[in-house]
Amino acid sequence: MSWESNVRKVVPYVAGEQPSGKVIKLNTNENPYAPAPGVEEVLKNTDISILRKYPDMNSGLIVNALAEKYRVKPSQVFVGVGSDDVLAMAFLTFFNSGKKILFPDITYSFYDVWADLFGIPYEQIPLDDDFVIHPEDYDKENGGVIFPNPNAPTGVAMDLTGVKQILDLNRDVVCIVDEAYVDFGTKSALELLPEYDNLLVVQTFSKSRSMAGMRIGYAIGNEKLISYLQDVKFSFNSYTMNTVTLAAGAEAVRDDEYFKKSCEKIIKTREKLKKDLKELGFAFSDSKANFIFATHPDVYAEKIYNELKKRNIYVRYFKKPRIDNYLRITVGTDEECDELVRNLREITA
Ligand code: PMP
C-alpha cells in the first residue's frame, strides 16, 4: 500500500482566471474602483516594526468598526480571511448533524466543495426555470441551510419575506445567508437577527468595499453562534487576520460615504449595461448584484467567452448543467462596459 491511499482526495473549487497584462477583467466580480482613500493612508503610514508582533487575535479594530456600523455588539461579529474563510468555518461549526444540508442547485460553487471536504451530506434544491429560489422547497428535514442573497451566479435576489419563510421553516438548524453581493441593491437579513437565533449573515469586503486582495469577510449573528464559530477558529488558527489588514479594513468601514457612492456608481453602470445587452438580444434575470448572468439566443455562450478572451476581455463561463449557455459578466467601469458591448455587438452580429 502506498502513502497515497491515506491522502484526503478532494476536487477543489476552481476560481476565475487572474490574467496578467492589460485586459478588461470582468470575470471575478471585483470592484473596478479603488478602496476608500483612508485605506491608502493606512498602508502608507504603517510602521513596519508592528509586524514583529503577532496581530490582535480578536481582530478588534475591524470587529468594533463593523459592530458600530451595523449596530450590533462586538460579540456578534466574526471576522475571517475573506468570506470564503468565514463560510468554511461556518460549515465546519454548524453543519455537524450528519443530516443533509440544503442549498440551491445553481449557486456559489464552493458550497459543495466545502461539504465534500468536511464530509457533510447535502441536497441541491433546483431553482425554477427563471432561476428563482422557492422558500417552500426548503420545507424538509435537513442539517442546515445556506443560500446567497442575491444568488450567484444568477444575480437574482429574494425579498425578506422569502428569507423569513425559509427561516421559519428551519428554526432548529443554522441558516446561513451569504450576502456577498447584498450592497448592490438587496435588503440585508441583518434586521432579522433579533428574531432568529439560528441566522448567520455573511458579508465580504471583496465586492462593495473593493478589497478582494486584502481578504476580509465577516459573519454577524447571535452571540452564541458567534462564540461557537470562535471556538472552531481558535482550534484551527488564532491569527487569521494580519495587523495591516485589520487597520485598513477598519478604515474602509468608517468611510460610509465613499462606500455608498461606489455602490451607486456600480448600480448605475449595471442598469446601463442591462439596456445595452438587451439591445444586442441577450436575455437575463434582473440582477441585483455587481454582475449580469446573460444568454444569447443565437450565439453559444462558450463561443462568446472564447471570442472575448481573444480580444483580452475576460468574463466567466461555467460549463455546468443548466447554465452552460450563460456568461457571468462583472459590472466594470462605464468605459469597460462600453468596450465589452462594442465587442459583443461584433461577435453576435
Ligand atoms: N460568496 C459568494 C456568493 C461569492 O460569489 C464569493 C466570491 N467568490 C464569496 C462568497 C467569497 O468571497 P470572498 O472570499 O472574497 O469574501
Side-chain angles (χ1 to χ4, degrees):
M1 217 167 63
S2 96
W3 56 267
E4 246 183 316
S5 58
N6 287 329
V7 170
R8 184 186 299 274
K9 296 183 189 75
V10 287
V11 182
Y13 169 74
V14 182
E17 298 153 277
Q18 293 292 347
S20 54
K22 211 175 142 15
V23 301
I24 295 184
K25 193 171 174 306
L26 306 174
N27 68 334
T28 51
N29 299 340
E30 289 141 336
N31 194 312
Y33 302 110
V39 173
E40 189 174 0
E41 287 308 303
V42 168
L43 297 182
K44 273 190 189 154
N45 298 327
T46 298
D47 170 4
I48 62 159
S49 71
I50 58 168
L51 298 182
R52 284 186 310 103
K53 297 205 285 183
Y54 282 103
D56 169 15
M57 64 178 98
N58 295 309
S59 306
L61 280 175
I62 293 191
V63 164
N64 290 332
L66 288 167
E68 195 172 315
K69 171 164 169 68
Y70 293 109
R71 298 172 205 280
V72 293
K73 293 187 212 160
S75 50
Q76 290 182 265
V77 183
F78 176 86
V79 178
V81 188
S83 54
D84 281 341
D85 181 44
V86 174
L87 289 164
M89 297 266 173
F91 269 58
L92 194 54
T93 310
F94 300 121
F95 297 156
N96 202 34
S97 68
K99 291 183 194 158
K100 285 180 186 168
I101 62 163
L102 309 180
F103 50 84
D105 66 335
I106 301 169
T107 194
Y108 186 30
S109 47
F110 225 138
Y111 298 161
D112 53 340
V113 174
W114 287 314
D116 286 336
L117 176 64
F118 299 137
I120 301 165
Y122 58 90
E123 180 176 345
Q124 293 166 295
I125 310 287
L127 300 180
D128 74 12
D129 289 342
D130 296 321
F131 295 152
V132 171
I133 294 176
H134 288 274
E136 63 273 19
D137 295 345
Y138 291 75
D139 184 9
K140 52 170 76 180
E141 173 140 357
N142 67 69
V145 176
I146 177 161
F147 60 94
N149 196 30
N151 196 9
T154 63
V156 177
M158 190 192 292
D159 61 21
L160 281 191
T161 318
V163 176
K164 257 176 92 79
Q165 212 176 326
I166 291 182
L167 287 165
D168 284 329
L169 289 167
N170 293 284
R171 296 222 62 139
D172 55 352
V173 293
V174 173
C175 296
I176 303 176
V177 184
D178 176 354
E179 296 191 336
Y181 303 99
V182 77
D183 298 318
F184 303 108
T186 303
K187 201 148 202 239
S188 170
L190 284 172
E191 68 180 65
L192 303 178
L193 286 177
E195 273 175 82
Y196 298 92
D197 64 357
N198 60 328
L199 165 63
L200 191 76
V201 177
V202 177
Q203 298 189 353
T204 177
F205 283 47
S206 298
K207 321 292 177 183
S208 52
R209 289 194 172 85
S210 309
M211 292 173 80
M214 204 106 215
R215 310 306 298 130
I216 310 173
Y218 54 99
I220 302 185
N222 165 279
E223 278 177 293
K224 206 163 168 188
L225 277 188
I226 298 300
S227 112
Y228 279 123
L229 260 182
Q230 302 281 20
D231 287 347
V232 167
K233 170 205 149 153
F234 286 116
S235 308
F236 198 78
N237 177 1
S238 307
Y239 303 109
T240 51
M241 309 301 292
N242 72 69
T243 309
V244 181
T245 296
L246 291 175
E251 206 46 52
V253 179
R254 276 186 217 111
D255 198 341
D256 212 38
E257 197 179 323
Y258 182 89
F259 164 73
K260 283 189 180 134
K261 271 201 191 129
S262 169
C263 291
E264 275 163 24
K265 274 198 279 188
I266 305 263
I267 291 170
K268 200 162 162 230
T269 308
R270 177 186 71 205
E271 296 309 309
K272 161 91 169 29
L273 181 57
K274 283 181 190 169
K275 263 197 219 149
D276 291 345
L277 289 176
K278 204 159 261 168
E279 264 177 40
L280 296 181
F282 282 93
F284 44 86
S285 300
D286 189 29
S287 170
K288 295 287 178 203
N290 68 337
F291 54 82
I292 296 170
F293 197 53
T295 183
H296 195 274
D298 307 322
V299 192
Y300 196 65
E302 191 171 17
K303 180 169 177 225
I304 303 177
Y305 162 78
N306 284 318
E307 278 297 317
L308 285 172
K309 199 165 156 177
K310 276 189 213 152
R311 298 160 187 235
N312 283 329
I313 301 175
Y314 285 73
V315 298
R316 191 85 196 261
Y317 173 68
F318 300 95
K319 209 176 177 74
K320 287 191 165 180
R322 293 188 77 191
I323 57 171
D324 61 357
N325 198 18
Y326 283 80
L327 297 171
R328 193 196 65 191
I329 304 167
T330 304
V331 177
T333 60
D334 281 330
E335 294 71 29
E336 287 172 326
C337 290
D338 287 348
E339 187 61 16
L340 167 81
V341 169
R342 203 178 60 70
N343 281 278
L344 285 175
R345 186 168 292 122
E346 289 175 6
I347 294 166
T348 58

